[in-house]
mmCIF file of all heavy atoms in Angstrom:
data_model
loop_
_atom_site.group_PDB
_atom_site.id
_atom_site.type_symbol
_atom_site.label_atom_id
_atom_site.label_comp_id
_atom_site.label_asym_id
_atom_site.label_seq_id
_atom_site.Cartn_x
_atom_site.Cartn_y
_atom_site.Cartn_z
ATOM 1 N N GLY A 240 24.950 -52.253 -9.759
ATOM 2 C CA GLY A 240 25.112 -53.543 -9.107
ATOM 3 C C GLY A 240 25.017 -53.463 -7.607
ATOM 4 O O GLY A 240 25.562 -54.312 -6.893
ATOM 5 N N GLU A 241 24.319 -52.445 -7.119
ATOM 6 C CA GLU A 241 24.203 -52.243 -5.674
ATOM 7 C C GLU A 241 22.754 -52.451 -5.241
ATOM 8 O O GLU A 241 21.832 -51.933 -5.850
ATOM 9 C CB GLU A 241 24.638 -50.816 -5.296
ATOM 10 C CG GLU A 241 26.105 -50.533 -5.588
ATOM 11 C CD GLU A 241 27.036 -51.247 -4.642
ATOM 12 O OE1 GLU A 241 26.582 -51.651 -3.561
ATOM 13 O OE2 GLU A 241 28.226 -51.411 -4.976
ATOM 14 N N GLY A 242 22.564 -53.210 -4.163
ATOM 15 C CA GLY A 242 21.233 -53.372 -3.612
ATOM 16 C C GLY A 242 21.081 -52.678 -2.271
ATOM 17 O O GLY A 242 20.037 -52.748 -1.639
ATOM 18 N N ASP A 243 22.144 -52.007 -1.836
ATOM 19 C CA ASP A 243 22.155 -51.397 -0.508
ATOM 20 C C ASP A 243 21.785 -49.927 -0.606
ATOM 21 O O ASP A 243 22.480 -49.156 -1.285
ATOM 22 C CB ASP A 243 23.551 -51.550 0.101
ATOM 23 C CG ASP A 243 23.616 -51.066 1.536
ATOM 24 O OD1 ASP A 243 22.603 -50.562 2.034
ATOM 25 O OD2 ASP A 243 24.694 -51.199 2.149
ATOM 26 N N PRO A 244 20.701 -49.489 0.053
ATOM 27 C CA PRO A 244 20.344 -48.067 0.022
ATOM 28 C C PRO A 244 21.451 -47.161 0.540
ATOM 29 O O PRO A 244 21.490 -45.979 0.212
ATOM 30 C CB PRO A 244 19.108 -48.007 0.943
ATOM 31 C CG PRO A 244 18.516 -49.370 0.886
ATOM 32 C CD PRO A 244 19.689 -50.306 0.762
ATOM 33 N N ALA A 245 22.372 -47.696 1.350
ATOM 34 C CA ALA A 245 23.483 -46.881 1.853
ATOM 35 C C ALA A 245 24.366 -46.401 0.701
ATOM 36 O O ALA A 245 24.964 -45.323 0.781
ATOM 37 C CB ALA A 245 24.304 -47.685 2.863
ATOM 38 N N TRP A 246 24.454 -47.194 -0.358
ATOM 39 C CA TRP A 246 25.255 -46.777 -1.524
ATOM 40 C C TRP A 246 24.662 -45.516 -2.127
ATOM 41 O O TRP A 246 25.373 -44.582 -2.487
ATOM 42 C CB TRP A 246 25.269 -47.905 -2.553
ATOM 43 C CG TRP A 246 26.046 -47.611 -3.794
ATOM 44 C CD1 TRP A 246 27.367 -47.863 -4.019
ATOM 45 C CD2 TRP A 246 25.558 -46.980 -4.994
ATOM 46 N NE1 TRP A 246 27.733 -47.438 -5.270
ATOM 47 C CE2 TRP A 246 26.652 -46.890 -5.898
ATOM 48 C CE3 TRP A 246 24.325 -46.493 -5.392
ATOM 49 C CZ2 TRP A 246 26.515 -46.333 -7.166
ATOM 50 C CZ3 TRP A 246 24.198 -45.933 -6.653
ATOM 51 C CH2 TRP A 246 25.284 -45.864 -7.522
ATOM 52 N N LEU A 247 23.336 -45.489 -2.248
ATOM 53 C CA LEU A 247 22.651 -44.311 -2.787
ATOM 54 C C LEU A 247 22.836 -43.109 -1.873
ATOM 55 O O LEU A 247 23.179 -42.013 -2.326
ATOM 56 C CB LEU A 247 21.163 -44.624 -2.952
ATOM 57 C CG LEU A 247 20.230 -43.442 -3.264
ATOM 58 C CD1 LEU A 247 20.598 -42.819 -4.605
ATOM 59 C CD2 LEU A 247 18.778 -43.901 -3.240
ATOM 60 N N ARG A 248 22.644 -43.313 -0.588
ATOM 61 C CA ARG A 248 22.732 -42.222 0.378
ATOM 62 C C ARG A 248 24.120 -41.581 0.375
ATOM 63 O O ARG A 248 24.260 -40.377 0.562
ATOM 64 C CB ARG A 248 22.395 -42.746 1.773
ATOM 65 C CG ARG A 248 22.301 -41.674 2.848
ATOM 66 C CD ARG A 248 22.026 -42.333 4.189
ATOM 67 N NE ARG A 248 20.733 -42.999 4.208
ATOM 68 C CZ ARG A 248 19.602 -42.378 4.473
ATOM 69 N NH1 ARG A 248 19.604 -41.090 4.743
ATOM 70 N NH2 ARG A 248 18.469 -43.038 4.471
ATOM 71 N N ALA A 249 25.154 -42.388 0.159
ATOM 72 C CA ALA A 249 26.522 -41.863 0.169
ATOM 73 C C ALA A 249 26.796 -40.967 -1.038
ATOM 74 O O ALA A 249 27.718 -40.153 -1.004
ATOM 75 C CB ALA A 249 27.520 -43.018 0.198
ATOM 76 N N ARG A 250 26.000 -41.098 -2.091
ATOM 77 C CA ARG A 250 26.247 -40.328 -3.311
ATOM 78 C C ARG A 250 25.249 -39.174 -3.501
ATOM 79 O O ARG A 250 25.635 -38.112 -3.988
ATOM 80 C CB ARG A 250 26.202 -41.266 -4.524
ATOM 81 C CG ARG A 250 27.478 -42.112 -4.603
ATOM 82 C CD ARG A 250 27.279 -43.409 -5.361
ATOM 83 N NE ARG A 250 28.537 -44.144 -5.395
ATOM 84 C CZ ARG A 250 29.005 -44.846 -4.359
ATOM 85 N NH1 ARG A 250 28.331 -44.915 -3.227
ATOM 86 N NH2 ARG A 250 30.168 -45.470 -4.444
ATOM 87 N N VAL A 251 24.004 -39.421 -3.152
ATOM 88 C CA VAL A 251 22.974 -38.379 -3.284
ATOM 89 C C VAL A 251 22.167 -38.364 -1.988
ATOM 90 O O VAL A 251 21.394 -39.278 -1.726
ATOM 91 C CB VAL A 251 22.043 -38.646 -4.486
ATOM 92 C CG1 VAL A 251 20.996 -37.537 -4.589
ATOM 93 C CG2 VAL A 251 22.838 -38.745 -5.776
ATOM 94 N N ARG A 252 22.369 -37.335 -1.189
ATOM 95 C CA ARG A 252 21.622 -37.220 0.050
ATOM 96 C C ARG A 252 20.136 -36.968 -0.244
ATOM 97 O O ARG A 252 19.783 -36.416 -1.295
ATOM 98 C CB ARG A 252 22.172 -36.070 0.898
ATOM 99 C CG ARG A 252 23.636 -36.202 1.278
ATOM 100 C CD ARG A 252 23.845 -37.264 2.318
ATOM 101 N NE ARG A 252 23.101 -36.983 3.540
ATOM 102 C CZ ARG A 252 22.965 -37.870 4.537
ATOM 103 N NH1 ARG A 252 23.487 -39.079 4.422
ATOM 104 N NH2 ARG A 252 22.286 -37.541 5.614
ATOM 105 N N PRO A 253 19.237 -37.365 0.663
ATOM 106 C CA PRO A 253 17.804 -37.139 0.427
ATOM 107 C C PRO A 253 17.460 -35.684 0.127
ATOM 108 O O PRO A 253 16.636 -35.402 -0.744
ATOM 109 C CB PRO A 253 17.163 -37.613 1.745
ATOM 110 C CG PRO A 253 18.115 -38.642 2.270
ATOM 111 C CD PRO A 253 19.477 -38.150 1.891
ATOM 112 N N GLU A 254 18.108 -34.745 0.829
ATOM 113 C CA GLU A 254 17.807 -33.337 0.571
ATOM 114 C C GLU A 254 18.263 -32.904 -0.821
ATOM 115 O O GLU A 254 17.667 -32.009 -1.434
ATOM 116 C CB GLU A 254 18.445 -32.443 1.634
ATOM 117 C CG GLU A 254 19.936 -32.622 1.824
ATOM 118 C CD GLU A 254 20.297 -33.661 2.872
ATOM 119 O OE1 GLU A 254 19.452 -34.544 3.166
ATOM 120 O OE2 GLU A 254 21.422 -33.584 3.411
ATOM 121 N N ALA A 255 19.303 -33.585 -1.354
ATOM 122 C CA ALA A 255 19.756 -33.265 -2.710
ATOM 123 C C ALA A 255 18.741 -33.766 -3.743
ATOM 124 O O ALA A 255 18.465 -33.082 -4.740
ATOM 125 C CB ALA A 255 21.124 -33.892 -2.968
ATOM 126 N N LEU A 256 18.176 -34.958 -3.511
ATOM 127 C CA LEU A 256 17.135 -35.457 -4.412
ATOM 128 C C LEU A 256 15.905 -34.562 -4.340
ATOM 129 O O LEU A 256 15.277 -34.266 -5.366
ATOM 130 C CB LEU A 256 16.762 -36.895 -4.052
ATOM 131 C CG LEU A 256 15.659 -37.520 -4.907
ATOM 132 C CD1 LEU A 256 16.057 -37.568 -6.378
ATOM 133 C CD2 LEU A 256 15.295 -38.914 -4.410
ATOM 134 N N SER A 257 15.562 -34.102 -3.140
ATOM 135 C CA SER A 257 14.430 -33.186 -2.995
ATOM 136 C C SER A 257 14.656 -31.916 -3.807
ATOM 137 O O SER A 257 13.745 -31.403 -4.452
ATOM 138 C CB SER A 257 14.227 -32.836 -1.513
ATOM 139 O OG SER A 257 13.214 -31.878 -1.350
ATOM 140 N N GLY A 258 15.898 -31.418 -3.800
ATOM 141 C CA GLY A 258 16.223 -30.228 -4.590
ATOM 142 C C GLY A 258 16.044 -30.462 -6.074
ATOM 143 O O GLY A 258 15.522 -29.598 -6.800
ATOM 144 N N LEU A 259 16.443 -31.630 -6.549
ATOM 145 C CA LEU A 259 16.276 -31.968 -7.965
ATOM 146 C C LEU A 259 14.800 -32.007 -8.342
ATOM 147 O O LEU A 259 14.382 -31.431 -9.354
ATOM 148 C CB LEU A 259 16.934 -33.319 -8.250
ATOM 149 C CG LEU A 259 16.674 -33.926 -9.637
ATOM 150 C CD1 LEU A 259 17.265 -33.055 -10.731
ATOM 151 C CD2 LEU A 259 17.218 -35.348 -9.719
ATOM 152 N N LEU A 260 13.997 -32.678 -7.517
ATOM 153 C CA LEU A 260 12.576 -32.800 -7.833
ATOM 154 C C LEU A 260 11.862 -31.461 -7.715
ATOM 155 O O LEU A 260 10.859 -31.221 -8.401
ATOM 156 C CB LEU A 260 11.929 -33.844 -6.918
ATOM 157 C CG LEU A 260 12.515 -35.266 -7.035
ATOM 158 C CD1 LEU A 260 11.749 -36.236 -6.155
ATOM 159 C CD2 LEU A 260 12.527 -35.748 -8.472
ATOM 160 N N GLY A 261 12.384 -30.573 -6.873
ATOM 161 C CA GLY A 261 11.838 -29.227 -6.799
ATOM 162 C C GLY A 261 12.011 -28.479 -8.107
ATOM 163 O O GLY A 261 11.125 -27.725 -8.534
ATOM 164 N N LEU A 262 13.148 -28.699 -8.774
ATOM 165 C CA LEU A 262 13.376 -28.066 -10.081
ATOM 166 C C LEU A 262 12.392 -28.585 -11.127
ATOM 167 O O LEU A 262 11.951 -27.849 -12.007
ATOM 168 C CB LEU A 262 14.815 -28.309 -10.533
ATOM 169 C CG LEU A 262 15.923 -27.681 -9.675
ATOM 170 C CD1 LEU A 262 17.299 -28.048 -10.233
ATOM 171 C CD2 LEU A 262 15.766 -26.171 -9.603
ATOM 172 N N VAL A 263 12.047 -29.870 -11.019
ATOM 173 C CA VAL A 263 11.063 -30.447 -11.942
ATOM 174 C C VAL A 263 9.687 -29.827 -11.688
ATOM 175 O O VAL A 263 8.976 -29.432 -12.617
ATOM 176 C CB VAL A 263 10.998 -31.981 -11.784
ATOM 177 C CG1 VAL A 263 9.900 -32.570 -12.674
ATOM 178 C CG2 VAL A 263 12.347 -32.610 -12.122
ATOM 179 N N ASN A 264 9.322 -29.742 -10.409
ATOM 180 C CA ASN A 264 8.015 -29.179 -10.056
ATOM 181 C C ASN A 264 7.870 -27.730 -10.509
ATOM 182 O O ASN A 264 6.797 -27.294 -10.936
ATOM 183 C CB ASN A 264 7.793 -29.275 -8.544
ATOM 184 C CG ASN A 264 7.126 -30.579 -8.141
ATOM 185 O OD1 ASN A 264 6.473 -31.222 -8.958
ATOM 186 N ND2 ASN A 264 7.298 -30.975 -6.894
ATOM 187 N N LYS A 265 8.971 -26.962 -10.421
ATOM 188 C CA LYS A 265 8.926 -25.552 -10.806
ATOM 189 C C LYS A 265 9.000 -25.350 -12.312
ATOM 190 O O LYS A 265 8.834 -24.230 -12.797
ATOM 191 C CB LYS A 265 10.078 -24.792 -10.128
ATOM 192 C CG LYS A 265 9.886 -24.601 -8.630
ATOM 193 C CD LYS A 265 10.972 -23.714 -8.021
ATOM 194 C CE LYS A 265 12.321 -24.391 -8.026
ATOM 195 N NZ LYS A 265 13.345 -23.609 -7.297
ATOM 196 N N GLY A 266 9.271 -26.423 -13.040
ATOM 197 C CA GLY A 266 9.388 -26.306 -14.481
ATOM 198 C C GLY A 266 10.747 -25.836 -14.943
ATOM 199 O O GLY A 266 10.938 -25.532 -16.123
ATOM 200 N N THR A 267 11.715 -25.782 -14.025
ATOM 201 C CA THR A 267 13.063 -25.352 -14.403
ATOM 202 C C THR A 267 13.696 -26.346 -15.359
ATOM 203 O O THR A 267 14.394 -25.971 -16.300
ATOM 204 C CB THR A 267 13.943 -25.189 -13.151
ATOM 205 O OG1 THR A 267 13.305 -24.289 -12.253
ATOM 206 C CG2 THR A 267 15.322 -24.653 -13.508
ATOM 207 N N ILE A 268 13.477 -27.628 -15.104
ATOM 208 C CA ILE A 268 13.956 -28.678 -16.009
ATOM 209 C C ILE A 268 12.818 -29.673 -16.216
ATOM 210 O O ILE A 268 11.904 -29.780 -15.394
ATOM 211 C CB ILE A 268 15.198 -29.411 -15.464
ATOM 212 C CG1 ILE A 268 14.916 -30.009 -14.071
ATOM 213 C CG2 ILE A 268 16.413 -28.499 -15.438
ATOM 214 C CD1 ILE A 268 16.061 -30.839 -13.528
ATOM 215 N N SER A 269 12.886 -30.409 -17.314
ATOM 216 C CA SER A 269 11.863 -31.421 -17.604
ATOM 217 C C SER A 269 12.216 -32.719 -16.891
ATOM 218 O O SER A 269 13.332 -32.906 -16.388
ATOM 219 C CB SER A 269 11.796 -31.668 -19.113
ATOM 220 O OG SER A 269 13.000 -32.274 -19.562
ATOM 221 N N GLY A 270 11.260 -33.645 -16.880
ATOM 222 C CA GLY A 270 11.508 -34.933 -16.246
ATOM 223 C C GLY A 270 12.633 -35.697 -16.911
ATOM 224 O O GLY A 270 13.458 -36.322 -16.231
ATOM 225 N N SER A 271 12.692 -35.659 -18.236
ATOM 226 C CA SER A 271 13.760 -36.382 -18.941
ATOM 227 C C SER A 271 15.113 -35.746 -18.672
ATOM 228 O O SER A 271 16.122 -36.449 -18.508
ATOM 229 C CB SER A 271 13.478 -36.413 -20.443
ATOM 230 O OG SER A 271 13.391 -35.089 -20.958
ATOM 231 N N MET A 272 15.163 -34.409 -18.616
ATOM 232 C CA MET A 272 16.421 -33.738 -18.290
ATOM 233 C C MET A 272 16.840 -34.063 -16.855
ATOM 234 O O MET A 272 18.031 -34.199 -16.553
ATOM 235 C CB MET A 272 16.270 -32.229 -18.459
ATOM 236 C CG MET A 272 16.121 -31.782 -19.902
ATOM 237 S SD MET A 272 15.681 -30.030 -20.018
ATOM 238 C CE MET A 272 17.140 -29.296 -19.299
ATOM 239 N N ALA A 273 15.851 -34.188 -15.961
ATOM 240 C CA ALA A 273 16.154 -34.476 -14.562
ATOM 241 C C ALA A 273 16.883 -35.808 -14.412
ATOM 242 O O ALA A 273 17.739 -35.961 -13.538
ATOM 243 C CB ALA A 273 14.871 -34.479 -13.742
ATOM 244 N N LYS A 274 16.563 -36.775 -15.261
ATOM 245 C CA LYS A 274 17.247 -38.070 -15.189
ATOM 246 C C LYS A 274 18.728 -37.916 -15.515
ATOM 247 O O LYS A 274 19.582 -38.539 -14.877
ATOM 248 C CB LYS A 274 16.580 -39.065 -16.142
ATOM 249 C CG LYS A 274 15.162 -39.433 -15.718
ATOM 250 C CD LYS A 274 14.486 -40.329 -16.737
ATOM 251 C CE LYS A 274 13.034 -40.595 -16.350
ATOM 252 N NZ LYS A 274 12.329 -41.409 -17.355
ATOM 253 N N ASP A 275 19.028 -37.094 -16.506
ATOM 254 C CA ASP A 275 20.442 -36.841 -16.837
ATOM 255 C C ASP A 275 21.141 -36.111 -15.695
ATOM 256 O O ASP A 275 22.296 -36.397 -15.373
ATOM 257 C CB ASP A 275 20.543 -36.019 -18.127
ATOM 258 C CG ASP A 275 20.057 -36.777 -19.342
ATOM 259 O OD1 ASP A 275 20.109 -38.021 -19.311
ATOM 260 O OD2 ASP A 275 19.621 -36.132 -20.329
ATOM 261 N N VAL A 276 20.439 -35.151 -15.103
ATOM 262 C CA VAL A 276 21.014 -34.407 -13.986
ATOM 263 C C VAL A 276 21.284 -35.346 -12.817
ATOM 264 O O VAL A 276 22.329 -35.270 -12.163
ATOM 265 C CB VAL A 276 20.089 -33.250 -13.554
ATOM 266 C CG1 VAL A 276 20.612 -32.585 -12.278
ATOM 267 C CG2 VAL A 276 19.969 -32.225 -14.671
ATOM 268 N N PHE A 277 20.351 -36.259 -12.566
ATOM 269 C CA PHE A 277 20.536 -37.208 -11.466
ATOM 270 C C PHE A 277 21.763 -38.083 -11.699
ATOM 271 O O PHE A 277 22.550 -38.337 -10.771
ATOM 272 C CB PHE A 277 19.296 -38.077 -11.292
ATOM 273 C CG PHE A 277 19.424 -39.084 -10.176
ATOM 274 C CD1 PHE A 277 19.328 -38.676 -8.851
ATOM 275 C CD2 PHE A 277 19.657 -40.424 -10.441
ATOM 276 C CE1 PHE A 277 19.462 -39.593 -7.816
ATOM 277 C CE2 PHE A 277 19.793 -41.341 -9.415
ATOM 278 C CZ PHE A 277 19.693 -40.925 -8.100
ATOM 279 N N ASP A 278 21.957 -38.553 -12.930
ATOM 280 C CA ASP A 278 23.155 -39.351 -13.239
ATOM 281 C C ASP A 278 24.426 -38.577 -12.903
ATOM 282 O O ASP A 278 25.391 -39.135 -12.366
ATOM 283 C CB ASP A 278 23.165 -39.745 -14.715
ATOM 284 C CG ASP A 278 22.111 -40.794 -15.047
ATOM 285 O OD1 ASP A 278 21.628 -41.458 -14.110
ATOM 286 O OD2 ASP A 278 21.774 -40.935 -16.237
ATOM 287 N N LYS A 279 24.423 -37.280 -13.216
ATOM 288 C CA LYS A 279 25.603 -36.453 -12.936
ATOM 289 C C LYS A 279 25.766 -36.209 -11.438
ATOM 290 O O LYS A 279 26.890 -36.114 -10.938
ATOM 291 C CB LYS A 279 25.496 -35.128 -13.685
ATOM 292 C CG LYS A 279 25.607 -35.305 -15.200
ATOM 293 C CD LYS A 279 25.391 -34.007 -15.957
ATOM 294 C CE LYS A 279 25.484 -34.237 -17.466
ATOM 295 N NZ LYS A 279 25.223 -33.019 -18.252
ATOM 296 N N MET A 280 24.644 -36.130 -10.712
ATOM 297 C CA MET A 280 24.720 -35.995 -9.262
ATOM 298 C C MET A 280 25.375 -37.232 -8.642
ATOM 299 O O MET A 280 26.211 -37.129 -7.747
ATOM 300 C CB MET A 280 23.317 -35.785 -8.678
ATOM 301 C CG MET A 280 22.688 -34.457 -9.043
ATOM 302 S SD MET A 280 20.914 -34.378 -8.619
ATOM 303 C CE MET A 280 20.992 -34.348 -6.821
ATOM 304 N N VAL A 281 24.980 -38.419 -9.117
ATOM 305 C CA VAL A 281 25.555 -39.669 -8.611
ATOM 306 C C VAL A 281 27.051 -39.726 -8.910
ATOM 307 O O VAL A 281 27.861 -40.122 -8.067
ATOM 308 C CB VAL A 281 24.839 -40.891 -9.226
ATOM 309 C CG1 VAL A 281 25.566 -42.179 -8.879
ATOM 310 C CG2 VAL A 281 23.391 -40.955 -8.753
ATOM 311 N N ALA A 282 27.415 -39.307 -10.120
ATOM 312 C CA ALA A 282 28.813 -39.417 -10.544
ATOM 313 C C ALA A 282 29.720 -38.397 -9.873
ATOM 314 O O ALA A 282 30.904 -38.683 -9.615
ATOM 315 C CB ALA A 282 28.903 -39.271 -12.061
ATOM 316 N N THR A 283 29.183 -37.200 -9.577
ATOM 317 C CA THR A 283 30.056 -36.114 -9.112
ATOM 318 C C THR A 283 29.781 -35.654 -7.695
ATOM 319 O O THR A 283 30.630 -34.989 -7.087
ATOM 320 C CB THR A 283 29.901 -34.894 -10.034
ATOM 321 O OG1 THR A 283 28.566 -34.352 -9.908
ATOM 322 C CG2 THR A 283 30.148 -35.269 -11.495
ATOM 323 N N GLY A 284 28.614 -35.950 -7.155
ATOM 324 C CA GLY A 284 28.260 -35.454 -5.837
ATOM 325 C C GLY A 284 27.802 -34.002 -5.830
ATOM 326 O O GLY A 284 27.523 -33.435 -4.773
ATOM 327 N N ARG A 285 27.692 -33.362 -7.022
ATOM 328 C CA ARG A 285 27.260 -31.960 -7.104
ATOM 329 C C ARG A 285 25.749 -31.863 -6.937
ATOM 330 O O ARG A 285 25.015 -32.820 -7.146
ATOM 331 C CB ARG A 285 27.673 -31.369 -8.451
ATOM 332 C CG ARG A 285 29.188 -31.274 -8.650
ATOM 333 C CD ARG A 285 29.543 -31.170 -10.112
ATOM 334 N NE ARG A 285 28.962 -29.978 -10.743
ATOM 335 C CZ ARG A 285 28.823 -29.839 -12.053
ATOM 336 N NH1 ARG A 285 29.207 -30.822 -12.874
ATOM 337 N NH2 ARG A 285 28.308 -28.730 -12.550
ATOM 338 N N SER A 286 25.278 -30.673 -6.575
ATOM 339 C CA SER A 286 23.840 -30.460 -6.415
ATOM 340 C C SER A 286 23.188 -30.266 -7.770
ATOM 341 O O SER A 286 23.840 -29.914 -8.771
ATOM 342 C CB SER A 286 23.587 -29.227 -5.549
ATOM 343 O OG SER A 286 23.922 -28.042 -6.263
#
């Protein structure tokens, strides 16, 4: 229910998203798994 990009930035920094997508590019995780990982990043703030 948030339309403000600041909400996203406060939970997942741009460099953290870059790290996630790097794992996808390297084949460490699949695209579908990456979506689950992203949800956990938003919820916990972990990398």
Side-chain angles (χ1 to χ4, degrees):
E241 296 288 340
D243 186 357
W246 180 90
L247 169 63
R248 186 183 296 276
R250 285 156 180 78
V251 180
R252 301 287 300 170
E254 55 270 22
L256 179 60
S257 175
L259 171 64
L260 299 184
L262 295 178
V263 176
N264 270 338
K265 288 186 291 187
T267 304
I268 56 175
S269 67
S271 59
M272 291 171 64
K274 293 175 184 177
D275 294 334
V276 173
F277 180 75
D278 289 342
K279 292 175 181 177
M280 292 169 70
V281 171
T283 66
R285 295 160 61 198
S286 71

